Amino acid sequence: MSDGYRQLLDATIQHLEGLKSRGVRHVAIAPETLRALALPAAKFPISNFQSPITKVVPPPAIKTEPTISMPPKKTSAPVVAAKAEIPNLKVEITSSSPEKAAAFTALRERALACVKCPHLAASRTTVVFGVGNIDAQLMFVGEAPGADEDEQGEPFVGRAGQLLTKIILATGLSRADVYIANILKCRPDTPGQSAGNRPPTPEERATCIPYLQEQIDLIKPKAIVALGATAVDGLLGKAPGITKLRGQWQTYRGIPLMPTYHPAYLLRNQSLSEKRKVWEDFLKVMEKLEMPISAKQRNFFLPT
Ligand code: URA
């Protein structure tokens, strides 16, 4: 039995035991998943697999005297949809170097099948590996996928992501010119909550960061922008804090790294002065990459 299959089995057993402890007695399984589960381990399509559970059947309600009727309580048990096709599985990765594209594709497939954090493997919809140009000169690193990213399998597509996209466009680049990834490839779970995010734990970060390191080593960008405290701390270790560090060049694996605020911070704090700080960090990145900078660009977010 391969390590991957054993890890997957352990994650599934742990997930089922969690459901059982919450009173769930039945789970629905799609017929094709049942057929796949019946295959010998060697033939099991592990890279396509997320969870065999399509639907959690809630425990039967205990009958009591009718009182005031309440809306049905949402189960805190994660409902994991086994998709016929995982949305982000089939992506063609291209590069000027076919060897690099092949190595990146293999790395991506490994990450997509990862179950090293069984609780995240059980709760995620997709593994949000990263997106963009693997020959990019510029790479962005964020914290972890949120709900929108988990749904779509792509980093920075929610509100903060849309702001990041706008900032990238303001430099004259597009998302397709750069590479965007996160410290964590799976959305941090929030058991018992129907919404909300939480930062990754130190254990989750340590488990996941080797994938990011391999991404960086293959892409070899000329500069990295670390977005927010978790990205800076995750890459540089205990750093003095994003407020002190932002705007000052650091080095990560021999690559210049610019720490700046996370776009979510700018959504919370829309003052011109904070926008200008982030923009000044981007101007430094543009200078490092010897990108053309117009007078208009130099003056973005300056008080008039
Ligand atoms: N915030 C992040 O840090 N990463 C994402 O992908 C989305 C939001």
Side-chain angles (χ1 to χ4, degrees):
M1 189 186 290
S2 73
D3 280 357
Y5 188 82
R6 186 179 293 283
Q7 282 177 341
L8 196 52
L9 214 52
D10 287 347
T12 305
I13 291 166
Q14 190 174 348
H15 180 58
L16 289 171
E17 280 172 348
L19 293 177
K20 193 173 163 195
S21 71
R22 288 191 289 270
V24 175
R25 291 289 173 270
H26 300 94
V27 291
I29 310 235
E32 64 273 16
T33 311
L34 259 185
R35 276 196 296 278
L37 282 169
L39 289 175
K43 288 198 184 146
F44 197 82
I46 201 160
S47 62
N48 279 3
F49 184 76
Q50 290 219 309
S51 164
I53 301 157
T54 55
K55 205 168 98 200
V56 172
V57 182
I62 300 162
K63 282 208 172 152
T64 54
E65 286 304 304
T67 50
I68 305 162
S69 72
M70 298 286 284
K73 226 182 182 178
K74 272 198 174 170
T75 172
S76 61
V79 177
V80 184
K83 298 199 165 71
E85 196 174 292
I86 299 167
N88 62 352
L89 191 64
K90 287 195 186 97
V91 165
E92 204 194 335
I93 295 173
T94 55
S95 163
S96 52
S97 153
E99 294 78 23
K100 181 174 173 180
F104 212 83
T105 303
L107 170 62
R108 183 172 180 276
E109 280 169 9
R110 259 196 291 132
L112 260 54
C114 181
V115 288
K116 286 183 193 161
C117 303
H119 57 299
L120 301 186
S123 63
R124 74 190 177 208
T125 308
T126 59
V127 173
V128 183
F129 179 66
V131 72
N133 177 1
I134 69 162
D135 294 331
Q137 298 207 339
L138 180 57
M139 179 161 176
F140 291 89
V141 176
E143 177 175 308
D148 294 313
E149 290 76 19
D150 175 55
E151 186 70 30
Q152 297 181 42
E154 185 171 327
F156 283 101
V157 291
R159 277 186 73 223
Q162 285 159 23
L163 179 54
L164 175 64
T165 304
K166 277 190 192 165
I167 304 173
I168 293 172
L169 290 173
T171 67
L173 296 171
S174 73
R175 275 174 79 98
D177 295 318
V178 301
Y179 195 85
I180 308 174
N182 280 309
I183 294 282
L184 217 67
K185 308 282 182 241
C186 292
R187 182 180 186 216
D189 61 346
T190 49
Q193 282 173 239
S194 57
N197 292 316
R198 67 162 174 87
T201 64
E203 293 73 30
E204 289 165 347
R205 277 170 24 179
T207 305
C208 205
I209 205 124
Y211 291 121
L212 180 64
Q213 287 168 344
E214 282 193 58
Q215 284 174 299
I216 293 172
D217 290 348
L218 282 167
I219 295 173
K220 296 189 178 47
K222 290 222 169 79
I224 298 172
V225 175
L227 300 161
T230 301
V232 173
D233 196 24
L235 292 172
L236 301 179
K238 274 273 158 267
I242 184 70
T243 316
K244 284 217 175 100
L245 225 55
R246 66 139 281 276
Q248 295 174 48
W249 283 110
Q250 308 293 316
T251 306
Y252 179 71
R253 295 170 97 76
I255 300 165
L257 179 144
M258 174 56 69
T260 194
Y261 290 142
H262 194 284
Y265 168 78
L266 289 184
L267 289 176
R268 292 193 301 273
N269 187 337
Q270 307 233 358
S271 73
L272 202 62
S273 62
E274 296 309 280
K275 287 181 189 169
R276 176 68 195 178
K277 282 182 194 163
V278 171
W279 183 244
E280 281 177 4
D281 301 343
F282 272 74
L283 286 173
K284 288 183 185 167
V285 172
M286 291 167 75
E287 280 164 3
K288 175 78 76 191
L289 299 179
E290 297 176 4
M291 290 169 60
I293 306 178
S294 68
K296 191 173 163 197
Q297 280 174 316
R298 287 223 177 265
N299 293 334
F300 281 164
F301 306 116
L302 279 179
T304 44

